[in-house]
Amino acid sequence: MGTEYLKIKEAKEAKKIIDNLFNELYKIKCEEILLENSYYRITYDNIKSSIAIPPFNKSLKDGFAVKAKDTFGASDDNPKTFKIIDTVEAGSFSEKTLKNGEAIEISTGAPVPKGSDAIAMVEYSEKVQDGPESEVAIYKSVSPSQDIAKKGSDIEKNKPLISAKTKLSPVKIGVLSAQGLNKVKVYKKLEISVISTGNELLTQEDTINYGKIYDINTNTIKNSVISCGCEAKVQGIIKDNYNKLRNKIETSLKTSDIVITSGGTSAGVGDVLKDVIEDIGEVIIHGISIKPGKPTLIGKVNGKLVIGLPGNPVGAIIVFNVFIAPNLRKLVGLNPAAKNKKIRVKLSKRIHSSKGRVQYLLIEIKDNKAYPILKDSGAINALSYAEGYIKVPKSVELIDADEIVEAYLF
Amino acid sequence: MGTEYLKIKEAKEAKKIIDNLFNELYKIKCEEILLENSYYRITYDNIKSSIAIPPFNKSLKDGFAVKAKDTFGASDDNPKTFKIIDTVEAGSFSEKTLKNGEAIEISTGAPVPKGSDAIAMVEYSEKVQDGPESEVAIYKSVSPSQDIAKKGSDIEKNKPLISAKTKLSPVKIGVLSAQGLNKVKVYKKLEISVISTGNELLTQEDTINYGKIYDINTNTIKNSVISCGCEAKVQGIIKDNYNKLRNKIETSLKTSDIVITSGGTSAGVGDVLKDVIEDIGEVIIHGISIKPGKPTLIGKVNGKLVIGLPGNPVGAIIVFNVFIAPNLRKLVGLNPAAKNKKIRVKLSKRIHSSKGRVQYLLIEIKDNKAYPILKDSGAINALSYAEGYIKVPKSVELIDADEIVEAYLF
């Protein structure tokens, strides 16, 4: 009994191996999705304008399209009179071409008719007669181009609009909507299967019975995967049974890019996951010299990663955040460092650490200080107020109160 | 022609009226959802622990459950020998009660058998004989409670766990999972219908034709609604037609808490939305003295709000962010101020503003300065790099370069 880690690695080395594995096995992929559903997705390409905005010379006011020079000299005392030959509202257009002395009644947003080069605002006009032969008196002269937004004056055709790797906010989605873009190319989400293992685990639908505990890792890892912009496929709880675990991993690999399990990497009664991965692929790392999180397994099966996180929920979260999350975020176009945001804060009190392996301590942030939550590493309670963690290097045995430490926030 | 705003309000007054309307018409509601799908939802209640964690006295090590006093004096030279009467793995339990001189083989996570009060680690033991009558030699004495996590030592039953108004992160979801919580009460999302109006509007599925433009507001408002933690129901584009708009608003109100339209509030050819709301409810505000965003309508129909945003996309976004978003966020339990985050930055260059109404200027943030995007207010291009806006009070005509301004970020 007791677990033997045959491929144990130092934290730094493990990180390098895992990063390299991700680089080697996974390429960034894109997919086309409906623009309207693209909230917070990441653009894959630089997007150029495909149409000019506005797409036509557009009236900026309600009034009358005229030839500007016909209005020159108009004033309250000396209005100029125009024959109204047509009316054009937003969404329609006039087929007529305007000649000297003619006006076309026009709404904001409507295309400026041929032959006219300015809009005389309705506020400085007065219709003389209604009906087909009506006229309008203009009381103020307008200059050429007045109150017209020229075609392309907002956005020219074929100009850079949104660059690749942009997070699509409502406003950016609006910019692309103006282009009539129905679909947009975005970074494809990785599909990740999540499996919990352990004879002692119950789902939240089960009634508790003696000796069993509720599974935590399915929900934390599923939602951690989501927080990395990936898609999680919950595969349920598997007993510590070689065949069941092997079957579940093999079927999960068929429909996902990565399989993440938890538990089963340091069981006293055996090490089922290690045996399965040895038989269907290759165990790359078995054990990382960190606390908590030592019983971690990294395996490669048919060109895909199988990641065995510790069963201990705190260890599982630390290992996921430190070693896995940055790689996932990179592959879906997110800033790898935005999660686990690093801040520098004072430590609230002296802490001791075990020399020889990197230690991660859950912390709470209060009054701009990091308060270590000194509980045994499996403590769920600690998680309810943990806001992040600090990393104690393996050579450090002691950090004094008020020393500055680097904290990583969840 | 030209729009008359009969119920125009100053920005400050409009904000007060709108906030009061939200308070009067909407109550915070909750709903129960599956815990596993609760990512980033907001807890409605203070949640207490319903079970102790661990739910039983749990072994922290692989080894042998014994009576501690039976091991006293054990050493490498003088091991104590125990009769192994049972084996218990995580997820199961032993029905036996341990007597003096007896041991039960135990795995990490398994319940500590009756009669035993300590775990002797496997590393300091040696099995003497296999089979039903096997014995174990223990080489190191253990003290009472050693390597046992007492029932409730992590979390006692009936203790505060997660407080109301907590955003459910993966870690918090984990804490509730440990309790066997299958569902969780969270703030209910408001359901908001989004309607664009205008004869000139095309959907992104349409081919562009002369005089038409692509609808922007459906997508920006839909996704702005989502960013406020609410659910958006896209109702499509409605022509500037009294009956069609009235029907669409009436049917939308039946299935949503709020209806948001855009356009149709300052059309030259009429003011269809105002007429509809006057007939089926009450127009509370028609026109807000701001730039952009003046043609805004706030109506009340059957105890629900109908919000008419300007057709101009920049105006629509400004009005939504300034007047509507904080109220929506409050009702779904989000921090009203987290969106439109206020920062203080230097202005890059002198700006002029029209006295007499509050003006909102889109800005870009570069080198810790706010760069005003001085474009006509309907400009889509401006939106592609706008990161927020600054508010120029109505009494201010000029702000100098390098003056500190308050900027609100999208």
Side-chain angles (χ1 to χ4, degrees):
Chain A
M1 263 168 50
T3 307
E4 278 188 89
Y5 297 100
L6 295 176
K7 298 191 170 181
I8 194 158
K9 305 287 176 198
E10 298 290 335
K12 210 169 169 178
E13 198 189 349
K15 182 152 177 47
K16 206 169 147 187
I17 293 172
I18 294 169
D19 291 352
N20 285 342
L21 275 169
F22 269 98
N23 285 336
E24 173 202 325
L25 300 177
Y26 298 95
K27 298 275 161 283
I28 286 164
K29 285 185 193 167
C30 73
E31 61 178 330
E32 263 202 332
I33 61 167
L34 281 175
L35 179 65
E36 61 171 316
N37 298 332
S38 66
Y39 181 64
Y40 263 33
R41 296 297 293 270
I42 310 296
T43 53
Y44 185 76
D45 291 319
N46 294 319
I47 305 176
K48 287 186 170 181
S49 55
S50 54
I51 59 171
I53 306 285
F56 45 81
N57 295 336
K58 189 179 77 173
S59 173
L60 292 172
K61 292 276 157 62
D62 294 336
F64 294 89
V66 292
K67 289 184 188 291
K69 68 175 165 36
D70 290 351
T71 68
F72 291 172
S75 68
D76 281 346
D77 299 335
N78 182 29
K80 303 277 180 180
T81 305
F82 294 78
K83 188 177 160 201
I84 304 174
I85 59 163
D86 204 356
T87 297
V88 55
E89 291 173 10
S92 67
F93 60 93
S94 173
E95 297 190 356
K96 301 210 168 139
T97 300
L98 198 128
K99 294 189 206 74
N100 287 340
E102 293 180 340
I104 290 178
E105 194 170 1
I106 194 164
S107 300
T108 307
V112 177
K114 272 172 278 178
S116 71
D117 63 357
I119 307 299
M121 281 171 74
V122 68
E123 284 80 352
Y124 300 104
S125 73
E126 192 171 9
K127 269 198 205 176
V128 181
Q129 188 195 324
D130 259 329
E133 281 304 301
S134 57
E135 294 190 333
V136 61
I138 306 280
Y139 290 92
K140 199 176 174 182
S141 79
V142 290
S143 39
S145 298
Q146 189 159 332
D147 285 323
I148 292 176
K150 284 271 168 66
K151 176 178 176 177
S153 58
D154 187 353
I155 300 172
E156 284 176 70
K157 197 172 163 175
N158 231 2
K159 293 285 172 191
L161 209 57
I162 303 270
S163 22
K165 270 199 144 175
T166 299
K167 193 179 269 183
L168 286 168
S169 65
V171 164
K172 310 263 189 219
I173 293 172
V175 172
L176 298 179
S177 300
Q179 290 290 317
L181 211 69
N182 194 33
K183 292 187 167 183
V184 59
K185 263 194 189 171
V186 294
Y187 279 70
K188 196 173 186 313
K189 296 182 175 196
L190 285 170
E191 296 181 359
I192 299 177
S193 278
V194 178
I195 300 170
S196 279
T197 69
N199 295 331
E200 74 278 25
L201 298 182
L202 300 170
T203 75
Q204 281 69 33
E205 286 176 345
D206 296 325
T207 310
I208 196 153
N209 47 53
Y210 188 61
K212 308 277 188 188
I213 57 170
Y214 284 109
D215 174 29
I216 297 169
N217 288 337
T218 291
N219 279 347
T220 51
I221 301 308
K222 170 192 168 171
N223 288 289
S224 297
V225 161
I226 293 173
S227 79
C228 290
C230 296
E231 206 171 292
K233 299 180 167 192
V234 169
Q235 304 287 357
I237 297 169
I238 301 297
K239 303 274 175 211
D240 285 324
N241 171 299
Y242 178 92
N243 286 324
K244 284 187 181 155
L245 184 60
R246 178 172 169 161
N247 284 343
K248 184 54 88 177
I249 289 176
E250 288 185 318
T251 55
S252 297
L253 278 170
K254 279 180 197 152
T255 57
S256 11
D257 300 301
I258 294 169
V259 172
I260 299 182
T261 73
S262 62
T265 47
S266 86
V269 286
D271 204 334
V272 182
L273 179 66
K274 188 179 87 283
D275 295 343
V276 169
I277 302 305
E278 273 174 351
D279 289 351
I280 63 172
E282 187 189 348
V283 173
I284 312 282
I285 295 175
H286 187 215
I288 302 179
S289 184
I290 53 174
K291 185 182 174 183
K294 189 177 178 189
T296 296
L297 182 145
I298 305 291
K300 195 167 99 175
V301 180
N302 295 333
K304 292 179 178 179
L305 281 176
V306 177
I307 296 158
L309 300 176
N312 153 11
V314 181
I317 281 191
I318 293 286
V319 172
F320 181 89
N321 277 290
V322 173
F323 297 96
I324 311 303
N327 284 300
L328 298 183
R329 294 178 64 84
K330 206 172 132 193
L331 280 167
V332 299
L334 295 171
N335 177 1
K339 204 80 189 172
N340 298 312
K341 207 184 143 195
K342 204 196 311 189
I343 59 167
R344 292 170 63 82
V345 277
K346 276 188 183 173
L347 195 63
S348 71
K349 61 175 171 189
R350 173 190 288 212
I351 53 167
H352 297 269
S353 177
S354 40
K355 204 174 167 176
R357 56 174 172 163
V358 172
Q359 190 165 356
Y360 298 93
L361 277 173
L362 292 178
I363 50 155
E364 208 184 344
I365 304 280
K366 280 187 296 194
D367 314 323
N368 227 11
K369 280 189 178 183
Y371 284 76
I373 303 172
L374 298 170
K375 290 260 186 176
D376 104 68
S377 68
I380 307 307
N381 189 23
L383 284 179
S384 68
Y385 49 101
E387 291 167 285
Y389 57 90
I390 56 172
K391 179 182 166 185
V392 185
K394 67 175 181 175
S395 58
V396 172
E397 273 180 283
L398 185 147
I399 304 180
D400 255 324
D402 290 331
E403 270 193 52
I404 299 285
V405 291
E406 284 178 347
Y408 301 82
L409 303 184
F410 284 139
Chain B
M1 260 168 57
T3 308
E4 277 188 89
Y5 296 100
L6 294 176
K7 298 191 170 184
I8 194 158
K9 305 287 176 198
E10 298 288 333
K12 212 170 169 177
E13 199 190 349
K15 180 151 178 47
K16 208 169 145 187
I17 293 172
I18 293 169
D19 290 353
N20 286 342
L21 275 170
F22 269 97
N23 285 336
E24 172 203 325
L25 301 178
Y26 298 96
K27 298 276 160 282
I28 286 163
K29 286 185 191 165
C30 74
E31 61 177 333
E32 263 201 332
I33 61 167
L34 282 174
L35 179 65
E36 60 171 314
N37 298 332
S38 66
Y39 181 65
Y40 264 34
R41 296 297 293 267
I42 311 296
T43 54
Y44 185 76
D45 290 320
N46 293 319
I47 305 175
K48 286 186 170 182
S49 55
S50 53
I51 60 171
I53 306 283
F56 46 81
N57 295 336
K58 189 179 77 172
S59 174
L60 292 172
K61 292 276 157 62
D62 294 336
F64 294 88
V66 292
K67 289 185 188 291
K69 67 177 165 39
D70 291 351
T71 68
F72 291 172
S75 69
D76 280 346
D77 298 335
N78 181 30
K80 304 277 181 178
T81 305
F82 295 78
K83 188 176 157 198
I84 303 175
I85 60 164
D86 203 357
T87 298
V88 54
E89 293 173 9
S92 66
F93 59 93
S94 172
E95 296 190 356
K96 302 212 167 137
T97 301
L98 198 127
K99 294 191 208 73
N100 288 339
E102 292 179 340
I104 290 178
E105 195 169 0
I106 194 165
S107 302
T108 306
V112 177
K114 271 173 279 178
S116 71
D117 62 358
I119 306 300
M121 281 170 73
V122 68
E123 284 80 352
Y124 302 103
S125 74
E126 192 172 9
K127 269 197 202 175
V128 180
Q129 187 194 327
D130 260 329
E133 281 304 298
S134 58
E135 294 190 333
V136 63
I138 305 280
Y139 291 91
K140 196 176 178 183
S141 80
V142 291
S143 40
S145 300
Q146 190 160 330
D147 285 325
I148 293 176
K150 283 272 168 64
K151 177 179 176 177
S153 58
D154 186 353
I155 299 173
E156 285 177 69
K157 198 173 162 174
N158 230 4
K159 293 285 173 192
L161 208 58
I162 303 270
S163 22
K165 270 200 145 174
T166 299
K167 194 179 268 184
L168 287 168
S169 65
V171 164
K172 311 264 187 217
I173 293 172
V175 172
L176 298 179
S177 300
Q179 290 290 316
L181 211 69
N182 194 32
K183 291 187 169 184
V184 60
K185 263 194 189 170
V186 293
Y187 279 69
K188 195 172 186 315
K189 296 182 175 195
L190 285 171
E191 295 180 359
I192 299 177
S193 278
V194 178
I195 301 171
S196 279
T197 68
N199 295 333
E200 74 278 28
L201 299 183
L202 300 170
T203 75
Q204 280 69 32
E205 285 176 346
D206 296 324
T207 310
I208 196 154
N209 47 52
Y210 188 61
K212 309 278 188 188
I213 57 171
Y214 283 110
D215 175 29
I216 297 169
N217 289 336
T218 291
N219 278 347
T220 52
I221 301 308
K222 170 191 169 172
N223 288 290
S224 296
V225 160
I226 293 172
S227 79
C228 289
C230 296
E231 206 171 291
K233 299 180 169 192
V234 169
Q235 304 287 357
I237 297 169
I238 302 296
K239 303 273 174 208
D240 285 324
N241 170 297
Y242 177 92
N243 286 323
K244 284 186 180 157
L245 183 60
R246 178 173 170 161
N247 284 343
K248 184 54 89 177
I249 288 177
E250 288 185 318
T251 55
S252 298
L253 278 169
K254 280 181 195 152
T255 57
S256 15
D257 300 300
I258 293 170
V259 171
I260 299 182
T261 72
S262 61
T265 48
S266 84
V269 286
D271 204 334
V272 181
L273 179 66
K274 189 180 87 215
D275 296 343
V276 169
I277 301 305
E278 272 175 351
D279 289 350
I280 63 172
E282 187 188 348
V283 173
I284 312 282
I285 294 175
H286 186 215
I288 302 180
S289 183
I290 54 174
K291 184 182 175 185
K294 188 177 179 191
T296 295
L297 182 145
I298 305 291
K300 195 167 99 174
V301 180
N302 296 331
K304 292 179 178 177
L305 281 177
V306 177
I307 295 158
L309 300 176
N312 154 11
V314 180
I317 280 191
I318 293 286
V319 172
F320 181 88
N321 276 291
V322 173
F323 296 95
I324 310 303
N327 284 300
L328 298 182
R329 295 178 63 85
K330 206 173 133 193
L331 281 167
V332 300
L334 294 172
N335 176 2
K339 204 80 190 174
N340 297 313
K341 209 183 143 198
K342 204 198 309 194
I343 59 167
R344 291 171 62 82
V345 277
K346 275 189 184 171
L347 195 63
S348 70
K349 62 175 170 188
R350 173 190 289 212
I351 53 168
H352 296 271
S353 177
S354 40
K355 205 173 167 179
R357 57 175 173 164
V358 172
Q359 189 165 357
Y360 298 93
L361 277 174
L362 293 178
I363 50 155
E364 208 184 345
I365 305 280
K366 280 187 294 194
D367 313 323
N368 228 9
K369 280 191 179 182
Y371 283 74
I373 303 173
L374 298 170
K375 288 261 186 175
D376 103 71
S377 68
I380 306 308
N381 189 22
L383 285 178
S384 68
Y385 50 99
E387 290 168 286
Y389 57 89
I390 57 172
K391 180 182 164 183
V392 185
K394 69 173 179 174
S395 57
V396 172
E397 273 179 285
L398 185 144
I399 305 180
D400 254 325
D402 288 330
E403 270 193 55
I404 299 283
V405 292
E406 285 178 346
Y408 301 81
L409 303 183
F410 284 139

